[in-house]
């Protein structure tokens, strides 16, 4: 595509512009039920419909921490799209960049949560795949302090133009970030062109491992459980030490903050390596915890914090999020995120 050209037209400036997929979540707490087919009716503990999608939850959580937030997204011209947009607006997010496109159906995710906190997610993409670079107002891009994109692998219409959008945003003085989400087709390496235009990459542990292996196949040699020489204790489900993986991704451009769930997070960047330890909480639902982590991290960065302190705020935000039901059921305020983050143990990690 041709390069993004910023015009002289202006919109009100915002702290955070989120380039998002947008959909509701059907949340089902299945307890210990193992889902069976064959027209077997099974009873579950709880179920509801809430605002879903990584981008929307990140936007709402950032607004709860005092940021001025706007979203660009595409929904269908249907009742679900209207309802989802209204929910987003109700959290104080500017939805003037949400496009209702005739002929499309709004996407939807069904999230099955188990008693141990694990989840299965079934997603119908619908309109969430349709946002493109042409749908992002140039003035909004220019006037944002930070531009964040979510669910890269689901937003197929945005992929080709995202590097140039990020490059244009950075040229105008903004910082940029990406939460790739999971790659349903295993196309991890396709994010490569975007990494060179990123300030911050925000994967979870499994995503970090897969992304790094896509760019450095030699990392396959440490997929078996081995002692972590960095001493961070951070591994993916296959036992891979995540500090080397985060370093691979950092060398491609961005600072990298990796979510470790209840174990906290690690970050690798220009300021070195950092580990922030999580705190014990009794989880109600883990949906959206990583997106609230994103919001806490970005709110910290936009408040002028260095990466280690932003990481503390991120972990605190994610920890508070799991004590509520649904992605927006328990959003941390700025004061809560800062206060809880200050109580978390932090250590420096060796990064050769």
């Amino acid at each position: 595509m041709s390069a993004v050209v910023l015009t002289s037209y202006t919109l009100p400036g915002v702290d955070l512009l989120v380039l998002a997929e947008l959909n509701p979540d059907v949340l089902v707490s299945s307890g210990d039920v193992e889902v069976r087919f064959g027209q077997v009716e099974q009873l579950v503990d709880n179920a509801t419909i809430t605002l879903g999608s990584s981008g929307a939850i990140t936007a709402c959580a950032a607004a709860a921490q005092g940021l001025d937030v706007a979203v660009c997204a595409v929904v269908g011209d249907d009742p679900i799209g209207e309802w989802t947009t209204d929910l987003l607006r109700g959290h104080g997010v500017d939805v003037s960049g949400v496009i209702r496109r005739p002929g499309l159906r709004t996407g939807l995710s069904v999230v099955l949560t188990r008693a141990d906190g694990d989840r299965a997610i079934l997603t119908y993409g619908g309109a969430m795949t349709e946002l493109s670079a042409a749908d992002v107002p140039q003035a909004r891009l220019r006037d944002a302090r930070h531009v964040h994109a979510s669910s890269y692998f689901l937003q197929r219409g945005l992929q080709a133009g995202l590097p140039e959008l990020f490059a244009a945003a950075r040229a105008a003085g903004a910082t940029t970030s990406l939460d790739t989400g999971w790659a349903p087709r295993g196309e991890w390496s396709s994010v490569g062109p975007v990494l060179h235009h990123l300030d911050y990459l925000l994967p979870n542990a499994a995503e970090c491992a897969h992304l790094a292996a896509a760019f450095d196949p030699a990392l396959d040699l440490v997929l078996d459980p081995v002692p972590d020489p960095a001493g961070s204790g951070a591994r993916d489900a296959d036992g891979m030490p995540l500090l080397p993986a985060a370093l691979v991704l950092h060398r491609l451009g961005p600072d990298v903050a990796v979510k470790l769930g209840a174990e906290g997070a690690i970050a690798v960047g220009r300021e070195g390596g950092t580990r922030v330890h999580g705190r014990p909480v009794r989880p109600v639902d883990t949906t959206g915890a990583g997106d609230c982590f994103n919001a806490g991290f970005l709110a910290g960065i936009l408040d002028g914090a260095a990466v280690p302190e932003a990481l503390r705020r991120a972990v605190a935000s994610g920890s508070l999020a799991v004590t509520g039901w649904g992605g927006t059921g328990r959003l941390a305020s700025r004061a809560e995120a800062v206060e809880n983050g200050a109580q978390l143990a932090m250590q420096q990690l060796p990064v050769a």
Side-chain angles (χ1 to χ4, degrees), residues 195-273:
L195 298 181
H196 304 294
H197 302 286
L198 270 186
D199 290 288
Y200 307 103
L201 179 66
L202 306 171
N204 66 24
E207 293 157 2
C208 177
H210 282 280
L211 285 165
F215 296 104
D216 185 355
L219 283 175
D220 289 340
L221 299 175
V222 294
L223 283 174
D224 293 329
V226 294
D228 183 356
S232 71
R235 306 172 185 275
D236 75 347
D238 297 314
M240 177 181 179
L242 288 177
L243 187 58
L247 279 167
V248 166
L249 298 171
H250 171 57
R251 289 173 186 137
L252 295 173
D255 287 3
V256 182
V258 186
K259 307 155 194 167
L260 305 177
E263 299 302 314
I266 63 171
V268 175
R270 288 153 289 186
E271 297 165 342

Side-chain angles (χ1 to χ4, degrees), residues 38-167:
Q39 302 186 51
V40 175
E41 184 168 6
Q42 298 171 272
L43 300 179
V44 297
D45 300 333
N46 194 6
T48 190
I49 302 177
T50 68
L51 181 62
S53 78
S54 175
I57 296 169
T58 296
C60 292
Q65 294 203 25
L67 297 184
D68 290 325
V69 185
V71 162
C72 287
V74 174
V75 296
D77 190 15
D78 54 17
I80 294 178
E82 182 177 5
W83 180 73
T84 304
T85 305
D86 285 344
L87 287 179
L88 192 58
R89 183 187 295 111
H91 283 275
V93 175
D94 181 343
V95 296
S96 60
V98 176
I99 300 168
R100 298 183 64 187
R101 189 156 289 163
L104 297 179
R105 288 189 294 161
T106 303
L108 181 72
S109 289
V110 178
V111 183
L112 306 176
T113 66
R114 299 193 313 195
D116 61 4
D118 198 4
R119 295 176 294 154
I121 305 174
L122 305 174
T123 294
Y124 164 64
M128 72 175 70
T129 66
E130 297 298 314
L131 182 71
S132 71
D135 296 318
V136 180
Q138 298 171 13
R140 180 65 88 197
L141 189 73
R142 181 191 61 215
D143 290 337
R145 294 175 58 205
H146 184 93
V147 180
H148 174 76
S150 58
S151 297
Y152 173 85
F153 298 109
L154 296 182
Q155 295 205 72
R156 296 193 299 274
L158 186 63
Q159 291 174 3
L162 189 57
E164 291 182 75
L165 285 178
F166 276 163

